Amino acid sequence: MLALEFTFPAGRYHANPWGRNVNEGEAEWPPSPYRLARALIDIQKRRFPDWEQARIESVLQGLSGKPFYLLPQATTAHIRTYQSSNEKDVTKKQLIFDSFVALDKGDSLYMAFENSMQEQHLVDLGTLLEELNYLGRSESWVKVNIRDNVPSFSWDCLPSDSAGQSSVYEDEKIACVLPRSEYESLPVSSDLSWFEAICLSTRDLLNQGWAHPPALEWIDYSRKKSRLNRTIPSRAGFESRREYRLFKYEIHSRVRPMVQESIHFAERIRLKLMGIHRKIQGDDPGLVSSKFSGKSADGSPLEGHGHAFFLPLDEDHDGRIDSLVITAREPFDSSELMALDRLRSIWQSNGKPDASLILSSMREQPNFKLSRTWVSATPFVTTRHHRKGRGSYLDWLTQEILLECEYHGLPEPASVNWIQWTITGPKPLRWMEFARGKRDERPFRGHGCIIHFNTAVPGPFALGARCHFGLGLFQPVE
């Protein structure tokens, strides 16, 4: 078996199925072998022009036929942009749909072929894959590695003739590379070699009158419905069969919010989500979820950290928020799931454009990273006050960290080292540069530290006052 592992560092895959116009808004998923084959030919022509044709043909033969797929959870989305029509009237714009598939940046997709390849051909394939930076449109960053096997043989997408009839599947057509032996049995093979047929450009196809590329074979596939478009069904009679505790969204905007605005961004998300949930509940304020509001029916704050955390994250460390995690200790109920599914955008202040929220994953249990060392990404604040007799100020702060770790079910840290500014972004930021309180609050005094545990703990996690709004956020030290 030949197995390829795909990861998408940007958390997005931008591509349209072969023959579909970009403005149809149709996203290809999973990636087709035919697209991969043509991408590798392009790399060979540009990076390794001295290769003999037989060498690249041997690689392509390994990618022909019908692959099987293991798919991560993903959802379709699109961005609408108005682009210039190249006319004198600058106000005349053309609406363009950029459809794509959003997924968790840490998830992998596996494409497995039943073909076997000689060692030298595998080396050649690996050489080409090392040069493959994107697949589909240029913003669709990708890394592809050869694997000896796959994590599971419970395929999420497979040829329909191998899947059988089941309600868990939906139909999909995937562009595959017609195996060389089958192509050579066609009449066209006498005029056009298999390799030449794969290389045909759109202009060549039109000029020669082809309806579709002769080396492209459309295969009927069965894809598990649960692996794409994880939307919540209509309200009527809905009961979730799975207990989801974590939702992750990708943030997209021409101007993404700065990490210094984390608490204000999280506060707006919470208010928006409460508003959505209130509408679902018939506009009854008394029925708004306590997980979202953080308050009981009588308006008193909940204790025990059982309500939702709204954690804005800067995963690429560019100083701007690029993803959002909403998680709770107990699973969300059906109405809360509907509200989370309808969370699509959020308003931004100071004239900045709205930010789109693309649901990239929903999980029954958080799949957090494990690490023994964690560093402050946003300031740690506390509502308690240092008093005489409690030791030095830093000793008191360290005790506050130990207490917070205990409150959140974390082991006691082996050491706590205090730092004056961030060390995870593009430039150091002092804690006073962050918003350190909600809109109606006087800012708290902020601090940062590096926490080391004797055993690895999952995260990111947040400690201290306003930890449910992203303050006191700790990220792993890579």
Side-chain angles (χ1 to χ4, degrees), residues 75-375:
T75 186
T76 55
H78 73 272
I79 298 172
R80 303 184 186 194
T81 57
Y82 287 88
Q83 296 184 354
S84 171
S85 296
N86 293 323
E87 297 189 17
K88 290 184 178 180
D89 184 358
V90 296
T91 64
K92 198 167 185 180
K93 305 285 187 178
Q94 182 180 8
L95 176 60
I96 301 295
F97 287 83
D98 180 8
S99 56
F100 59 93
V101 172
L103 65 158
D104 197 311
K105 297 176 184 177
D107 285 347
S108 296
L109 176 150
Y110 290 87
M111 179 190 293
F113 296 85
E114 295 178 328
N115 306 326
S116 60
M117 296 179 69
Q118 297 179 13
E119 185 64 31
Q120 182 56 50
H121 300 158
L122 282 173
V123 172
D124 290 342
L125 175 59
T127 300
L128 295 174
L129 291 176
E130 286 180 0
E131 300 291 330
L132 184 64
N133 298 317
Y134 68 90
L135 187 64
R137 290 192 284 281
S138 59
E139 61 268 43
S140 183
W141 303 343
V142 69
K143 292 182 179 179
V144 186
N145 294 298
I146 302 173
R147 297 296 182 226
D148 295 329
N149 217 321
V150 293
S152 168
F153 290 97
S154 179
W155 305 112
D156 301 313
C157 185
L158 67 166
S160 297
D161 55 11
S162 301
Q165 295 295 324
S166 175
S167 60
V168 303
Y169 293 114
E170 58 187 352
D171 295 332
E172 182 68 19
K173 284 188 177 292
I174 296 180
C176 297
V177 179
L178 185 66
R180 185 170 187 168
S181 58
E182 296 182 26
Y183 176 83
E184 290 177 346
S185 65
L186 300 177
V188 66
S189 62
S190 60
D191 300 320
L192 199 66
S193 73
W194 178 68
F195 181 74
E196 291 172 337
I198 299 175
C199 294
L200 284 175
S201 67
T202 302
R203 178 177 293 180
D204 294 332
L205 294 170
L206 294 174
N207 289 341
Q208 297 179 28
W210 289 101
H212 65 83
L216 183 155
E217 183 179 24
W218 286 108
I219 302 296
D220 291 324
Y221 269 72
S222 296
R223 182 181 62 206
K224 286 183 179 178
K225 297 176 182 178
S226 60
R227 309 313 287 175
L228 185 64
N229 282 336
R230 300 303 300 268
T231 53
I232 305 303
S234 62
R235 183 182 175 191
F238 172 77
E239 287 295 334
S240 174
R241 296 183 180 180
R242 301 174 69 178
E243 297 182 336
Y244 293 104
R245 292 174 174 82
L246 181 143
F247 277 64
K248 186 174 182 181
Y249 302 83
E250 303 300 321
I251 310 299
H252 297 286
S253 177
R254 286 189 286 115
V255 183
R256 287 185 284 114
M258 304 292 290
V259 292
Q260 297 95 308
E261 308 170 45
S262 290
I263 185 172
H264 293 162
F265 181 76
E267 186 182 9
R268 289 198 299 272
I269 292 289
R270 168 181 169 268
L271 291 174
K272 177 77 175 281
L273 200 54
M274 289 171 60
I276 295 172
H277 191 256
R278 187 178 70 178
K279 289 184 178 180
I280 291 173
Q281 300 292 74
D283 270 331
D284 185 347
L287 296 180
V288 172
S289 166
S290 60
K291 282 197 190 76
F292 297 153
S293 67
K295 297 179 181 180
S296 61
D298 61 5
S300 58
L302 296 177
E303 297 181 355
H305 298 293
H307 49 298
F309 284 80
F310 300 85
L311 304 179
L313 304 177
D314 173 20
E315 295 188 308
D316 59 5
H317 305 301
D318 67 348
R320 294 185 179 274
I321 298 169
D322 50 41
S323 58
L324 170 74
V325 166
I326 301 178
T327 184
R329 187 176 300 165
E330 296 298 323
F332 296 105
D333 66 26
S334 58
S335 63
E336 292 164 347
L337 290 172
M338 292 170 67
L340 288 162
D341 177 62
R342 296 179 187 181
L343 182 62
R344 304 292 173 81
S345 64
I346 193 68
W347 170 83
Q348 295 198 79
S349 60
N350 300 323
K352 290 182 285 188
D354 291 357
S356 298
L357 280 73
I358 310 300
L359 178 60
S360 60
S361 65
M362 45 196 287
R363 298 185 180 275
E364 297 177 72
Q365 294 292 341
N367 61 329
F368 287 153
K369 294 181 179 179
L370 293 174
S371 179
R372 293 195 297 174
T373 305
W374 297 82
V375 62

Side-chain angles (χ1 to χ4, degrees), residues 18-82:
W18 185 275
R20 303 295 292 270
N21 186 277
V22 63
N23 269 10
E24 292 184 52
E26 190 73 21
E28 177 183 82
W29 191 252
S32 68
Y34 193 77
R35 182 182 302 278
L36 177 63
R38 288 173 61 87
L40 296 183
I41 292 173
D42 175 72
I43 291 172
Q44 184 267 316
K45 294 293 186 182
R46 290 186 295 109
R47 304 291 179 86
F48 308 101
D50 55 332
W51 281 20
E52 294 182 359
Q53 183 173 308
R55 197 168 171 182
I56 181 66
E57 286 183 4
S58 298
V59 171
L60 297 178
Q61 287 186 64
L63 304 180
S64 63
K66 308 173 185 178
F68 294 73
Y69 293 89
L70 288 178
L71 303 179
Q73 292 181 0
T75 186
T76 55
H78 73 272
I79 298 172
R80 303 184 186 194
T81 57
Y82 287 88

